[in-house]
Amino acid sequence: MHPLIHPRLIRSAALALGACVAIGLTSGCEWTDTTAQGTATEQETLPPDADKKQSRRNADDFRAWVEANGTQEQKKAASRVRRVIGEWDDRTGNAYISTDINGGTTPVKDPMATARALTAAFDGWKDSKEGYVSVYDVFGNALVTNEEF
């Protein structure tokens, strides 16, 4: 498989083609690429941080919200958040949470549970119609990708 073609893209194209065939080619089937329209993009490594001050402020705001509103598990997980990168609003967006999971002075016993607690907390903190959040370990590797918020 070509390294630039993601399996989900192939699967989506195949489904669209199948729908066209099922409907009938005479009905004018059209395929549209929606990747630039707020849909989830698979980001296996932490994207570059264009505004480190803002991403740290986002992390501070997120941790403060979790401290006031989160569960005990979410509060513990939020202490691992270093930066929250991305842009989102009430309609759409992508958020990338940078953590010190698998690093730092205190190891995380269950990195996946910690990452899931962060996605649940983010869902409570921000809500979008088509928003996605991903969580990354200290090395920038994805733990959880494209969870809706």
Side-chain angles (χ1 to χ4, degrees):
M1 179 175 303
H2 192 277
L4 296 178
I5 300 175
H6 195 278
R8 287 188 184 171
L9 181 60
I10 293 170
R11 193 169 36 247
S12 296
L15 289 173
L17 179 61
C20 287
V21 171
I23 293 171
L25 295 176
T26 60
S27 65
C29 191
E30 185 177 314
W31 182 67
T32 304
D33 179 8
T34 60
T35 55
Q37 299 175 5
T39 57
T41 55
E42 197 73 24
Q43 188 73 39
E44 291 299 322
T45 58
L46 186 66
D49 188 351
D51 189 347
K52 288 184 177 18
K53 284 184 180 180
Q54 183 60 46
S55 64
R56 286 188 187 110
R57 276 194 299 270
N58 291 342
D60 290 343
D61 292 347
F62 176 57
R63 284 191 302 266
W65 185 90
V66 172
E67 188 58 38
N69 301 288
T71 65
Q72 281 306 112
E73 181 183 24
Q74 291 170 345
K75 290 176 185 179
K76 186 175 179 182
S79 71
R80 299 304 207 154
V81 173
R82 297 299 164 247
R83 295 176 290 144
V84 180
I85 302 167
E87 294 183 17
W88 56 87
D89 58 26
D90 61 344
R91 287 187 326 99
T92 188
N94 290 303
Y96 309 99
I97 300 176
S98 172
T99 71
D100 70 356
I101 295 172
N102 295 333
T105 57
T106 309
V108 175
K109 291 180 183 174
D110 189 348
M112 291 307 293
T114 302
R116 294 269 180 222
L118 289 172
T119 62
F122 197 91
D123 182 42
W125 182 49
K126 297 293 178 186
D127 189 26
S128 292
K129 292 180 181 170
E130 295 179 21
Y132 299 93
V133 61
S134 300
V135 179
Y136 299 85
D137 68 11
V138 70
F139 304 109
N141 299 314
L143 295 169
V144 175
T145 59
N146 298 334
E147 290 290 317
E148 286 189 50
F149 68 87

